[in-house]
Amino acid sequence: MLAPLTVAVVFPALVPAGASGVADVIKNLGNSFDRSSYYSDQGDLVQYQYVGAGAPHNVRSTQFSGGERLFSSDTISTGATPVDGTQYLAPGTYPFICTIHPSQMAAELVVR
């Protein structure tokens, strides 16, 4: 006699808008960031994507720990690069700048 076959159906959890588990991608808009606030979940490695042409840009925390910035990206003028250190941030709000255009390019990363 054969045992009955049990089939499990798994439904993805319903996720509220804006809480998809995927961090916002930081982008420039000329010599500014395209938004004033970006969002990520704790543990996310945020990405910076260069948009357009012109001067190079980067993403650098304005806060330090032990003499080091909390997070930082490479300086790029094409493509995308990780913003290293964002994956270690506790929930909170973290201001950042482009060190090439600090007075024009400032925004914040909100970690949930």
Side-chain angles (χ1 to χ4, degrees):
M1 181 168 184
L2 295 174
L5 179 61
T6 303
V7 177
V9 177
V10 179
F11 293 97
L14 296 176
V15 179
S20 63
V22 177
D24 289 342
V25 175
I26 300 170
K27 298 177 184 178
N28 64 292
L29 181 61
N31 288 341
S32 63
F33 290 111
D34 70 338
R35 299 195 326 231
S36 60
S37 296
Y38 298 87
Y39 296 87
S40 73
D41 290 328
Q42 188 174 12
D44 285 346
L45 177 59
V46 175
Q47 299 289 312
Y48 165 61
Q49 181 179 359
Y50 186 93
V51 178
H57 301 297
N58 58 43
V59 171
R60 306 276 165 89
S61 169
T62 60
Q63 295 172 299
F64 293 80
S65 177
E68 300 290 324
R69 291 184 188 272
L70 293 181
F71 54 88
S72 181
S73 77
D74 288 338
T75 300
I76 61 174
S77 57
T78 185
T81 186
V83 184
D84 192 45
T86 56
Q87 69 272 36
Y88 306 118
L89 297 172
T93 300
Y94 300 90
F96 64 87
I97 59 171
C98 167
T99 58
I100 298 167
H101 305 98
S103 62
Q104 297 168 272
M105 296 183 74
E108 65 184 13
L109 175 64
V110 179
V111 178
R112 302 177 280 227

